[in-house]
Every structure is written in structure tokens, then in C-alpha cells.
Amino acid sequence: MASQNEIVVRFAGEGGQGVVTAAEMLARAATGVGFHALTFATFPSQILGGPTWTQARVAKETVLSPGDSVDILVAFNDEAYQEHRTDVRDGGVILLDPSVNPDNGDQSHRCIHVPFDDLAKETGESRAANMVVMGGLSKLINMPLEYFKDFVSERFAGRDSIIEANHKALDLGLNQLKDEQAISDLGAPIPPDYKQIFIKGNEALSIGAVHAGIEFYFGYPISPATPILVFMEKNLLGEGKFAYQASSEIEAITGIVGAGFSGKKSMTATSGPGFTLMGEGIGLAWMAEIPCVVVDVQRGGPATGLPTKTEQSDLLTAISPAHGDAKIPVIAAGTVEECFYAAVHAFNWAETYQGPVIILSEHSLAERAQNIRVPELSETPVQNRITYQGNNGYLRYESKEISPFPIPGNPGSYVANGSEHDIYGDTTHLAKYHIHMTERRFGKLALLENAPFESDNPASKIALMPWGGSKGSVLEAYNILRNQNVDIAWYYTMFINPLAPDLLKALKEKDLVIVPELNYQGQFASLLRSQGINAEAITQYTGLPFKSSFLVERINELVGKYKKDMVVG
Amino acid sequence: MSGKNPEYDFLWCPGCGDFGVRRAMEFAMQDWNIERETPMTHNVVVAGIGCSGNTVHLLEGEQPYGFHGIHGRSLPLALGVKMAREELNVVVVAGDGDFLSIGMEHIGPQAARNLNICAVVMDNGIYGLTKGQSSPTTLENTVTSSTPFGKMESPVHPLDLYLTLGVSYIASGYSSKPRDLAKLITKGMMHDGFSIVHVSSPCTTYNDTYEILKGSRAKGTEGTAYDIPENHDPTDKDAARDLIARGGVPLGVVYENTTRPSLGQRLAKVRENNQAKDAAALLNSFSI
């Protein structure tokens, strides 16, 4: 029996068959006993039905990506089997609904029929098909059934009949596969010695906002950002707090700008289509110097695009969402953990430079559930607004420095203005004020330039620099390349705009900077090139995340080509 | 040039109705301050884009806070200002173009929420600042710079629209009577819910309607503006509908519903009955 450190299980079927919760359940149960796990989910934009699949990767060490090759496929229908069987590695197992006839020619996989639904019905709980699957999996991956039973007991504590039915389902599933050989043996987990949480990207981001001191949330439902709205409406409670559903993204952005003017830490979250609508409002926040945070959980675009697929194609829009001379600070989260910190930093940045800050997340990150180290709140400082404490007659825009912020209801009344304004905030067309205010607005960005970045093997002249949610897959590829003795450096930051001057300096010294990103144009690479860096993108636009094996191949090609060119040159 | 700012060089045309509305705004905010015993800085004037929006820069005397935002979005901007600090008196000033064309989508949601703000809409039936294009309240067949063959659309009937959308306080006023108008605005500010004071505020350059509103003794014409009869019951929605159907420009409170809770009142109940969790507790709820 092969012993391995990890296992990848994919669940495929139709929405409503329990596919969505299956990967999460496996990952939860596994992390509960000390394994590491990460999930991936993709589903159609409809309430019921449609091809859906999820994946869980369970390992003894930290998991960086959803995994390239599938060890076990659970196919709930024929379409799922046909679509996904080629992703299953040789020697892998496919669990099939009895209605599905495996191809006679499928010699490279072990196909096993499991009557999920019939066995579930036997338990008296027809929704327990998932647990039948888990029972079978426990045999295949040699994970004690008790892990799952304990998980069920905890999850449904106090609801004994449900626990009983699900325990029975687990037994039935295991019994069904009792004569099958395990596919691998993860062995005993090595539980981390720190406190962990199991959480999705959108949830981590929302809690980050709460830690940062969010007081006002206003948002319009849109995939894949809706869970942030739902979270806020449920949790952003208490005196002086406001969380509410807007009637449009235009309403949402102008609402949070109004709240920011009133002195509150405010945020909205959306995806591409809504973000486009917010452009003018973001420009208003820049112009009137109002702190606020806008989250763009990217999906495929343009227009309605691919609502439930992942892409990193809003970067250029995020930096320039508005017309005119404006450059909006952008923080792009790369992992579930970074979703939490990105939210805290975004609020801190907004207060520091008094303007709008964009957080980029993306579908695969938003829906990814993972075990992470619980953020250390006491070590995550929060920046609050510097408020004006003087008398009336304040000229808020007089200097070119950041100026204390007057709070309505207190002395210091002024006019915040989306039109170009003078030192009173009154509308003007005088060149001297447009020059003064433009320089004032851009000058403040310098306050954000001390952001940290990661680097590894910096001596190499060729660097790898991903951004956003591709971080995990690219880091995995980087580790493989380094093990292959490929001489390449690693750079990464979630502070995309403005980039830290030290990072820019280091990248400018490289002969080549390779940027894997999920869009057609190579947006980040083009941005780096515009700043004098020789960047080349590895692009993918499938709606799915990178596979690290694909990246290893492409990076090796680029490195090889570059070295050849150097010799010829 | 304004009282506070020697370099401010925006001008309303001589005779512009907005002068009267500005005066009425100043009276109303002073009245509100006396009533609520608050300083002027408790008032926030949220302005739309157009001639009317410049009211925020031209207010005289003690200055309230102001936010001169982007075209059509004064209502959601005001929502943010208000729901962030409910103790503030938040007043929108906008024109018929800003409020009823690009901004019309925002009236319904505020009415449905019964957001506790007051909107003062200065209706001159034209886009003045951009030099005379047709607005939603421009009459059918009117020739303007953007309707060279006459306007081919029916005009919007603002009061009818507000009533249909469920605005809970609707008043109609006239810029030439700033004292009367101030009373309507003050009442709107006091109203715990969404209030709109719709003001006929003529544009002397592109759509001078003074004579139509007042009538002309010389020509023997009657004005379209008239005082709402004292026996009108503004709490009666049918009566309000009948009044609006009479046409013309009624002056006074058209409709008033004080029985609906405002958004703030509803949220206060939610806050009473639900406890917030801090970040540590929230993180804890995801513990492995």
C-alpha cells in the first residue's frame, strides 16, 4: 500500500446532491484531528442542479493549493464521471452511483459502485448520502471512522436522531467498501501546536474588518461577494453600527462614502460588475478625501462574465476604477489567512492616507475553506482616524499634508467636495487650486510606501512573483523548482499598489520577473513593466486556479528560453 | 464671492429662484437648531450637481457641514451620512435633473426604508447649469437646446411620483415665499421619516415661469400656484391624491404619514435585541 503525505478527493455531481458540503465536511473532519486541509468549490449560477464539483486536499503539512491530480473521485452521476475521470491519477479510485456504467476501457482506475442514496434512505435520513461517502472514504484513505463519528457528534450536538442516522450512514458506507484495499495511508496526523480555525476567505475577510473597527457596511448581493454582506448583516450590530442591503452598487458606494464623511469606518463588497458601477463613487472618495474600503471579490469578466468562476482580471480596474487623475491603493489577498490581514491593513491604509482602498479577493479564495493559525489580534494594530479637535473656521484642504478629519456634529464644519475645490472645500476652477489639490491627493500615497514583502533566494537574477489568490499554487511550484535546483528567486506582497520602493528596486535589478496570473493580458506583468521591470506573464483564463504542475512546466520553459537567449545574445 | 469665501466665484443669475430656497434653508436650519438645541454643525447639507447644489457653498452666517457629491447620488450619500450619525440633521438640496432624472432610482428605496432625511428639490423644469436642456419636468413639446423639435416625452409629475413611491412627508413650495417655504422644510426636518419638499424655483435664463406661477394682472391670467385649502387633511392619502390630480402647484403640506417607523427606529429595535460579537469571539466560533 502506497504511503503518502496527502490525499486529494473530488466530489462531482449536480447542485443539491450534497456535493458542495462534501469537501468541506471531509476537510473539517480531517482538520479536527490535526491534519491540514484546503477545499475548492465551483458551481453553476443557479439555485438547484447544474454540474457542481468540490475538492478537498488533506495532508500532514500545510496545504497550499487544491491539488493537481485526484486520488479519489466520487461521481454522483454519469456526466460527473465522464467529465472528471481523466483528472484521476493512474491507480486512483472512482466511487460511482450504480446508475453510472464505467467505460470498459477504463483500466487505469478502480471503479466501485456505491448506492449512496439507497444506503442513506436506510438510515431514515435521506440527506445522509454524504455520510455514506465519508464512511467509504474512511476505508479508502485509512482514516479511522471515529474521526468522522466524533465530527458528526460535535456538529449535531443535541440532535440525537440526526447523529444516530449519520453514524449509521458512516457504518453503512464503510461496510460497503469493507473488502476494498485502501488507496493510501496518511498515518497519524501531526496536530499543529498553535490554535487553529477552519474558515473561508470571505469569512476571514469579514472578521478582519470587524477587528479593524468597521462600523458601517452597505452592500448589494453579487456572487461571490454575497457572504460578506450576509456576515455583516448578522454580526455588525450594536450602538452606532450599521449593516444593510443596498438597492444597487451605486447606492452602496455613495452610502459608504457618506458614512466615511460622518467619521465611520465603512466598507462595501462586490464583484466585477458592481465594482465597475462603483467607479465614480470611488473617485468621489479620492477627490473628497474620505476613508473607505471597497472589496472586489473577482470572478470571470467582463460584463456578467463568469459569476461562479475564478479570475484575476480586475487588477487594472482596481487601480484606476475612476476617470481622471487618480491612483487607488490596492491590497490583494493571497491566502485565506491573508484575507483577514488584508481587511485590517485596508482599513489602516484608508485612515492613514484618508481615501478609498481596494481589497482584491477572488472566487477561489472566497469559497476556499482551510485550517489556519488563528490571527493574533493583540499583534495586529489598528489605525484610527485622526480627528479635528479645533474650532470652527477650519481650512481642511489648506496644507499639502494629511489634515485632521472634522466629524459632523463637532466644530470644524467644511464642505467635502467631488468637484475640484479650494482650501474651504468650495468649488473652484482656478489652476492654482487644481495643482495644489492634485499634488495633495497624490502626495499622501507616500504614507503607504513602507509595506512589507516576502523574498527568498534573492541573489538569483530570475524572479517569480505571483499576486493575489494564485500565491499558493505558485509557491508550491516554486518549492518544486527549488528542489529541482532551479535558480530562481521568490517575491510576493499583498500590497499591490503602491508597491514598496525597496521591492521595486529589487525587481528592477532582475533580468526577468515571471508573473503567473489568471487573466489574458498579463495585467500585473504589464503594470510592473510600466515601472521599468522586465516582467513576463504566465497567463491562464479557464475560470479555474493554476495547477502547480502546469506552472513548473511553464516556468522551466521560460527560464530555459531566457538562458538560451542569453547564450545566443 | 460668498460671505465666507472671497475667491468663490459661482453666480446664480439675477432673479434665480434658488436665492429664495437658500434663504429658506438658512431659516429652517436655524429653527431646527433652536428646536433641538444644537449648534449649526449638527446640520449636514448634501448637495446634488447643478445650479441648486451650489446652495451648499452660498449659505450665509454660521456654516453647517456640507457634502457636494456626484450627479444624481445625493440621496445615498445622505443615507450614509445619516445612518452613520443619526443625531445629525441631514438635508439634501438637488434639482429636478439631478433628483428626478439620473437620481430617480434612489427615491423609491429611501421611501421604502423611510430614511429620516429631508430632501429639498428645486424644480426649474430645465437643465440650467449645462445651458438649457430638457429635464424630466420640462413640459411636452417644449423646445430646448436638446429638444430642437419639441420634447417628445411626457413630463414627470413629481408629487404624484412621491406619493406612489411611499414618501411619508410631501410638501410643495415656491421659492418666492422663503418664510413659508422655511416652515415646510423645518416640518420636513422634524418629520421622523423620509420627507421631500418640492419647490418651484424658476430659472430666469432658460425657463422663466414666474408669470405662470403667479399669474398676471395685466394679462388677466391666474397663477398656477395656490395655497392648499385649510380643510385639506394631509394624513388622508386619497385626499392627497385628489389634491395632486387638481393640477397646478399646491403650496403647503400635501401628504404626511407619521405612523410608519423610520429606518432608524427599526434598527434601534434590532440593536436592542441582538448583541454584537467582537473579533475574538467571532474567530472563536470558527475554532477547530
Side-chain angles (χ1 to χ4, degrees):
Chain A
M1 181 172 52
S3 174
Q4 59 185 70
N5 284 328
E6 61 162 45
I7 190 101
V8 176
V9 185
R10 183 178 295 179
F11 306 87
E14 209 166 280
Q17 286 185 310
V19 175
V20 173
T21 49
E24 211 177 311
M25 201 177 287
L26 173 60
R28 271 179 190 277
T31 56
V33 293
F35 288 109
H36 296 265
L38 181 154
T39 70
F40 173 80
T42 177
F43 32 79
S45 190
Q46 59 195 54
I47 294 173
L48 281 177
T52 298
W53 62 275
T54 62
Q55 190 163 305
R57 188 178 184 189
V58 178
K60 292 176 96 162
E61 290 172 355
T62 303
V63 185
L64 295 172
S65 81
D68 289 6
S69 78
V70 176
D71 297 298
I72 300 170
L73 169 67
V74 182
F76 287 94
N77 59 30
D78 191 53
E79 191 189 350
Y81 168 70
Q82 297 299 344
E83 176 71 23
H84 296 281
R85 66 191 176 93
T86 51
D87 287 342
V88 183
R89 70 166 167 85
D90 284 354
V93 175
I94 303 178
L95 300 183
L96 296 157
D97 187 81
S99 66
V100 184
N101 289 318
D103 285 2
N104 288 331
D106 194 345
Q107 301 295 326
S108 52
H109 306 127
R110 185 159 35 124
C111 295
I112 308 165
H113 275 135
V114 182
F116 310 110
D117 291 332
D118 291 346
L119 291 174
K121 277 178 198 145
E122 270 184 46
T123 71
E125 174 61 71
S126 60
R127 287 171 301 177
N130 265 337
M131 283 302 160
V132 173
V133 174
M134 296 303 147
L137 286 177
S138 79
K139 172 71 189 185
L140 287 176
I141 60 180
N142 220 1
M143 202 185 259
L145 198 64
E146 295 315 311
Y147 289 1
F148 293 100
K149 286 198 167 170
D150 290 349
F151 168 74
V152 166
S153 302
E154 204 176 299
R155 178 139 199 205
F156 299 107
R159 295 149 82 186
D160 290 347
S161 65
I162 294 178
I163 294 174
E164 200 183 318
N166 279 306
H167 280 182
K168 195 173 172 194
L170 285 166
D171 287 331
L172 288 170
L174 175 61
N175 189 55
Q176 188 74 19
L177 271 76
K178 66 178 187 299
D179 298 328
E180 293 291 337
Q181 249 203 338
I183 191 167
S184 72
D185 183 4
L186 284 173
I190 311 157
D193 58 1
Y194 47 83
K195 193 169 179 300
Q196 294 188 98
I197 52 175
F198 183 80
I199 196 165
K200 290 184 181 177
N202 273 344
E203 295 160 342
L205 193 153
S206 302
I207 301 179
V210 171
H211 176 62
I214 185 174
E215 294 166 290
F216 194 101
Y217 183 91
F218 200 31
Y220 186 76
I222 184 169
S223 296
T226 307
I228 301 174
L229 167 67
V230 172
F231 183 98
M232 288 300 169
E233 294 217 80
K234 223 194 285 182
N235 293 300
L236 189 58
L237 297 159
E239 205 47 48
K241 306 274 172 61
F242 181 81
Y244 207 77
Q245 179 176 330
S247 68
S248 71
E249 285 92 350
I250 290 175
E251 208 191 44
I253 182 67
T254 27
I256 69 159
V257 173
F261 168 80
S262 273
K264 299 284 173 148
K265 290 189 175 181
S266 63
M267 181 173 100
T268 187
T270 185
S271 188
F275 190 73
T276 303
L277 287 178
M278 290 182 182
E280 192 186 11
I282 295 168
L284 173 62
W286 165 268
M287 192 73 169
E289 303 186 39
I290 308 292
C292 60
V293 174
V294 179
V295 184
D296 176 5
V297 187
Q298 298 163 97
R299 61 196 223 181
T304 308
L306 293 164
T308 54
K309 299 286 176 185
T310 209
E311 206 162 88
Q312 299 179 282
S313 50
D314 291 354
L315 177 61
L316 296 178
T317 313
I319 290 172
S320 292
H323 61 275
D325 249 351
K327 186 177 162 186
I328 310 297
V330 177
I331 298 175
T335 63
V336 170
E337 209 169 350
E338 283 181 11
C339 284
F340 173 89
Y341 292 103
V344 181
H345 287 301
F347 276 97
N348 289 352
W349 266 18
E351 296 300 335
T352 301
Y353 101 108
Q354 293 183 356
V357 175
I358 313 301
I359 299 175
L360 285 179
S361 179
E362 62 194 77
H363 180 265
S364 67
L365 205 49
E367 290 289 333
R368 179 185 298 172
Q370 194 179 2
N371 62 308
I372 61 167
R373 179 193 288 265
V374 68
E376 191 53 68
L377 298 180
S378 61
E379 288 168 17
T380 312
V382 165
Q383 169 77 47
N384 289 321
R385 192 155 315 178
I386 300 158
T387 55
Y388 176 71
Q389 303 292 341
N391 299 318
N392 283 325
Y394 178 45
L395 299 177
R396 177 164 183 229
Y397 303 105
E398 192 174 26
S399 77
K400 280 198 184 171
E401 307 292 314
I402 206 89
S403 52
F405 200 97
I407 308 294
N410 301 288
S413 56
Y414 71 108
V415 180
N417 200 339
S419 302
E420 190 56 284
H421 38 270
D422 57 24
I423 56 178
Y424 294 85
D426 286 334
T427 305
T428 184
H429 55 260
L430 296 175
K432 66 173 179 178
Y433 286 126
H434 189 44
I435 294 166
H436 173 92
M437 295 301 160
T438 301
E439 289 173 359
R440 178 182 153 97
R441 288 185 290 266
F442 276 95
K444 294 186 299 174
L445 290 174
L447 298 168
L448 311 179
E449 279 181 348
N450 54 354
F453 60 91
E454 296 174 11
S455 71
D456 189 55
N457 193 32
S460 174
K461 297 302 278 178
I462 302 177
L464 188 56
M465 186 170 178
W467 70 274
S470 293
K471 183 187 184 185
S473 304
V474 180
L475 183 55
E476 204 166 82
Y478 174 75
N479 290 336
I480 294 168
L481 289 161
R482 294 293 290 145
N483 281 333
Q484 293 173 353
N485 288 321
V486 176
D487 185 27
I488 193 165
W490 166 267
Y491 287 90
Y492 172 80
T493 185
M494 61 173 161
F495 304 96
I496 294 291
N497 188 51
L499 284 167
D502 287 352
L503 175 57
L504 276 174
K505 186 168 169 280
L507 294 174
K508 274 180 193 165
E509 283 164 7
K510 301 297 169 198
D511 292 334
L512 177 67
V513 176
I514 300 169
V515 182
E517 51 186 322
L518 298 174
N519 59 63
Y520 178 85
Q521 300 177 91
Q523 295 190 6
F524 190 48
S526 73
L527 205 67
L528 292 177
R529 280 198 298 276
S530 77
Q531 300 186 64
I533 293 155
N534 185 32
E536 188 161 341
I538 295 172
T539 62
Q540 177 180 298
Y541 30 94
T542 55
L544 297 171
F546 280 121
K547 286 182 173 177
S548 49
S549 54
F550 166 82
L551 288 171
V552 167
E553 203 176 299
R554 294 283 289 113
I555 294 164
N556 265 325
E557 268 173 37
L558 279 175
V559 171
K561 181 174 167 281
Y562 171 77
K563 287 196 167 147
K564 207 171 129 210
D565 288 352
M566 289 296 276
V567 171
V568 174
Chain B
M1 175 168 166
S2 70
K4 63 164 186 194
N5 187 350
E7 280 186 315
Y8 185 64
D9 58 3
F10 176 84
L11 294 172
W12 280 322
C13 307
C16 177
D18 294 353
F19 283 107
V21 183
R22 178 192 68 183
R23 189 63 69 219
M25 283 284 296
E26 290 162 2
F27 289 145
M29 286 191 289
Q30 284 159 11
D31 288 348
W32 193 84
N33 292 339
I34 291 165
E35 185 80 22
R36 297 289 166 102
E37 297 180 359
T38 54
M40 187 53 98
T41 48
H42 261 65
N43 296 267
V44 181
V45 177
V46 179
I49 301 300
C51 291
S52 58
N54 289 299
T55 305
V56 72
H57 304 293
L58 289 163
L59 292 164
E60 292 182 355
E62 266 196 290
Q63 293 294 306
Y65 275 81
F67 203 145
H68 201 168
I70 46 178
H71 195 38
R73 314 303 169 200
S74 53
L75 283 179
L77 202 52
L79 177 145
V81 175
K82 177 70 184 181
M83 295 318 294
R85 291 196 187 272
E86 292 187 52
E87 69 275 18
L88 298 173
N89 179 35
V90 180
V91 194
V92 164
V93 287
D96 47 304
D98 186 285
F99 200 79
L100 292 167
S101 186
I102 183 171
M104 197 208 258
E105 68 185 81
H106 301 298
I107 305 171
Q110 311 331 322
R113 294 165 184 151
N114 208 17
L115 176 69
N116 186 8
I117 60 167
C118 177
V120 178
V121 183
M122 302 174 209
D123 184 357
N124 59 8
I126 200 81
Y127 282 75
L129 197 62
T130 50
K131 303 202 189 305
Q133 294 78 38
S134 86
S135 90
T137 53
T138 302
L139 300 179
E140 205 166 342
N141 297 322
T142 307
V143 173
T144 71
S145 72
S146 62
T147 53
F149 306 106
K151 185 182 173 188
M152 301 182 199
E153 297 172 8
S154 312
V156 162
H157 296 284
L159 301 178
D160 199 9
L161 174 75
Y162 303 151
L163 192 69
T164 301
L165 289 174
V167 177
S168 60
Y169 172 95
I170 303 166
S172 172
Y174 178 29
S175 60
S176 290
K177 297 184 171 181
R179 284 278 174 195
D180 293 352
L181 181 58
K183 280 182 196 149
L184 297 176
I185 297 173
T186 309
K187 202 152 187 258
M189 291 168 173
M190 298 293 175
H191 175 75
D192 199 356
F194 187 37
S195 60
I196 299 181
V197 181
H198 194 87
V199 188
S200 293
S201 179
C203 172
T204 46
T205 303
Y206 293 106
N207 191 25
D208 191 337
T209 52
Y210 280 114
E211 195 179 294
I212 295 169
L213 287 160
K214 283 186 196 164
S216 162
R217 204 169 288 168
K219 292 180 190 166
T221 53
E222 279 214 20
T224 52
Y226 67 96
D227 289 329
I228 293 174
E230 270 178 28
N231 64 359
H232 172 66
D233 177 6
T235 64
D236 180 345
K237 200 165 190 173
D238 289 332
R241 206 176 294 285
D242 290 344
L243 182 77
I244 292 166
R246 270 180 61 179
V249 178
L251 302 177
V253 179
V254 175
Y255 178 66
E256 184 177 18
N257 180 350
T258 54
T259 60
R260 272 178 64 204
S262 67
L263 180 59
Q265 287 169 337
R266 283 180 194 265
L267 283 169
K269 277 232 167 84
V270 173
R271 288 182 191 127
E272 240 170 65
N273 301 323
N274 293 279
Q275 285 301 310
K277 283 185 193 155
D278 63 11
L282 288 168
L283 286 172
N284 217 26
S285 65
F286 290 89
S287 277
I288 289 175

